[in-house]
Amino acid sequence: MALVAGVDSSTQSCKVVVRDADTGALVRSGSAPHPDGTEVHPHHWEDAFHRAVAAAGGLDDVAAISIAGQQHGMVCLDKAGDVVRPALLWNDTRSAGAADDLVAELGAAAWVDAVGSVPVAAFTVTKLRWLAEHEPEHARRTAAVCLPHDWLTWRLLGTGRLDDLVTDRSDASGTGYFDSVASEYRAELLVRALGHDVLLPRVLAPSEFVVAGSMRVGPGAGDNAAAGLGVQAGDDVVVSLGTSGTAFTRSTTPPRDPSGAVAGFADLTGVFLPLVCTLNAARVLDAVASMLGVDHHGLSDLALSAAPGAEGLTLVPYLAGERTPNLPSSTGGVLGLTVHNATPANLARAAVEGMLCGLADAVDALRAQGKRVERVRLVGGAAASPAVQAIAPTVFGVPVVVPPAGEYVADGAARQAAWELVGGDTPPAWAPATGTRECLGELTAGRRERYPAAAAHPLDQLA
């Protein structure tokens, strides 16, 4: 029995799964936490990776491995391969002004034509502009730029040579200087941001690999692309409720959205992954649960005890700024509060509905790009909430399926690793997870209509 390993180096932690390459059956797993913050030294990721691998029983019997990770993070290396400064993560919004400047310089349409997306604060290219403007000595010292999963893969290879940096299309497509249609870097855009050219990771084909000892190492992936492969989404729209919220789907046609709502990312199989990202998902429930002094089970019970629509109470969930819509300095708010609806149950219900309405806007953006949405596949930590499962179809207006909780990003990376062993044009077929729950419900009248009006409130001016 050949074994493969998949890694999810996420914002919060590193997860490792070891699976049977032929069947996908889980053999063992392990995890280790990452430090908090939006600025992290990459060596913390490497330390967590080794601890997670040890917890998963090691890699001595593993034939192939692939590492997926949080997208966009800026890892700068000098000529010796040393980290120039702590990495800026995707959710670090200090580069919002740099994003505005880059878009203004070329125009949104030109960026979409070049790389399929309009840069926002999350993208690597905007962080490089911030670096050039605010830390010019670090910018001048930078000889290579890579992403979190690229850096971990490179450290696993162990050569120390910058020329051995590799990546994949999915993660490269989130940098802001990679054209996923032509599968090539746009060096002039990187130079526009950083001020000089640097070495970038070689982009591997979907089933291409490099070697670390006796183990094949796949190209890896951005976390959303890996999740799509791991959950085996097919034509469904996947809505992921983690620290951030995302809505994405597989497409053979590259999206072109000059509004910037839909990013033109690539997937793991050689086609495209139109994606909409919000900065606020599970953290909204975390915050309101803390306010109410309950755990997530208690929050769910409270939300389900309230009437749909929370008696007119609306929560705008921009608690950490927002990426879609692009309001990085915005704040959240509770609107429509009266003496009659000011109850813990209504606030809990408004939190769940507000979070889901933000993601329903994301699904609508995919519709505007021509996607026919017939079903939503809900994944991520917050998808386990009974209230989320019950309310989601009433907000999305289509059937919702919730697969059993799992490490779908790591699973997608493991499936890619199995692909490195068998080759061919498509990843190996693994049996889908059993225990998928189907959630049905009618669209709640007035719920979606009231939310956009509340979200348009100029809460960013209150920051």
Side-chain angles (χ1 to χ4, degrees):
M1 176 178 67
L3 298 181
V4 294
V7 180
D8 173 16
S9 182
S10 72
T11 312
Q12 302 93 348
S13 63
C14 182
K15 280 86 69 177
V16 176
V17 299
V18 177
R19 292 188 172 272
D20 183 308
D22 295 324
T23 67
L26 180 65
V27 177
R28 56 185 192 263
S29 64
S31 65
H34 286 159
D36 292 332
T38 63
E39 177 179 298
V40 176
H41 197 288
H43 288 302
H44 289 296
W45 303 332
E46 186 175 23
D47 177 65
F49 169 76
H50 288 302
R51 286 186 286 126
V53 165
L59 301 175
D60 290 344
D61 55 351
V62 168
I65 187 172
S66 183
I67 299 174
Q70 52 182 304
Q71 285 190 265
H72 309 304
M74 180 191 74
V75 182
C76 295
L77 305 176
D78 65 15
K79 292 180 180 179
D82 294 326
V83 175
V84 171
R85 56 128 33 244
L88 297 185
L89 306 191
W90 62 273
N91 54 354
D92 191 304
T93 60
R94 72 184 75 178
S95 57
D100 291 341
D101 291 343
L102 286 169
V103 174
E105 288 168 16
L106 295 181
W111 281 99
V112 169
D113 288 343
V115 297
S117 303
V118 179
V120 292
F123 284 25
T124 315
V125 71
T126 69
K127 300 181 188 303
L128 292 174
R129 170 61 70 88
W130 179 91
L131 185 74
E133 292 179 341
H134 295 271
E135 299 179 359
E137 291 186 7
H138 286 153
R140 285 191 291 270
R141 186 181 158 201
T142 298
V145 175
C146 59
L147 304 172
H149 103 258
D150 309 341
W151 187 83
L152 273 177
T153 299
W154 182 66
R155 294 291 293 177
L156 180 63
L157 296 178
T159 68
R161 296 189 298 266
L162 292 179
D163 288 343
D164 290 332
L165 282 164
V166 295
T167 191
D168 81 302
R169 288 174 66 250
S170 74
D171 221 1
S173 66
T175 60
Y177 45 81
F178 180 80
D179 179 353
S180 57
V181 176
S183 288
E184 62 185 20
Y185 288 113
R186 297 292 299 265
E188 77 279 11
L189 298 178
L190 183 146
V191 172
R192 173 177 288 275
L194 185 61
H196 64 91
D197 203 2
V198 296
L199 185 145
L200 296 172
R202 180 166 61 95
V203 181
L204 300 181
S207 62
E208 192 176 355
F209 62 88
V210 289
V211 176
S214 61
M215 186 169 54
R216 295 184 179 186
V217 181
D223 49 4
N224 292 292
L229 192 66
V231 78
Q232 302 187 62
D235 291 331
D236 289 347
V237 169
V238 177
V239 172
S240 178
L241 302 177
T243 302
S244 63
T246 56
F248 58 87
T249 188
R250 186 175 183 270
S251 173
T252 57
T253 303
R256 289 291 183 260
D257 182 8
S259 78
V262 179
F265 295 157
D267 84 334
L268 288 193
T269 67
V271 292
F272 304 97
L273 195 81
L275 182 144
V276 183
C277 180
T278 71
L279 290 181
N280 298 278
R283 69 176 73 193
V284 177
L285 306 188
D286 294 340
V288 175
S290 177
M291 286 175 61
L292 296 176
V294 296
D295 60 15
H296 281 279
H297 293 293
L299 184 76
S300 179
D301 290 343
L302 282 170
L304 290 175
S305 72
E311 295 186 88
L313 194 66
T314 298
L315 185 142
V316 180
Y318 303 160
L319 307 190
E322 191 46 85
R323 169 171 164 178
T324 308
N326 187 23
L327 298 169
S329 300
S330 64
T331 61
V334 177
L335 303 178
L337 186 66
T338 71
V339 294
H340 301 292
N341 64 17
T343 67
N346 281 331
L347 181 58
R349 180 91 189 195
V352 175
E353 291 184 348
M355 177 193 71
L356 290 172
C357 282
L359 271 300
D361 288 350
V363 173
D364 282 348
L366 294 176
R367 283 192 177 99
Q369 287 290 301
K371 173 63 180 177
R372 183 176 178 180
V373 182
E374 297 183 344
R375 191 169 69 167
V376 165
R377 189 173 294 257
L378 204 60
V379 300
S385 163
V388 169
Q389 293 182 13
I391 296 170
T394 74
V395 172
F396 292 124
V398 295
V400 173
V401 294
V402 183
E407 299 297 347
Y408 289 110
V409 175
D411 290 346
R415 193 172 170 210
Q416 185 191 63
W419 197 1
E420 316 311 319
L421 296 182
V422 300
D425 296 330
T426 58
W430 284 352
T434 59
T436 296
R437 173 182 172 83
E438 185 168 9
C439 309
L440 300 173
E442 296 182 359
L443 186 66
T444 301
R447 171 68 284 188
R448 288 291 312 283
E449 290 77 5
R450 189 166 72 250
Y451 168 77
H457 193 275
L459 295 170
D460 55 319
Q461 297 177 12
L462 304 180

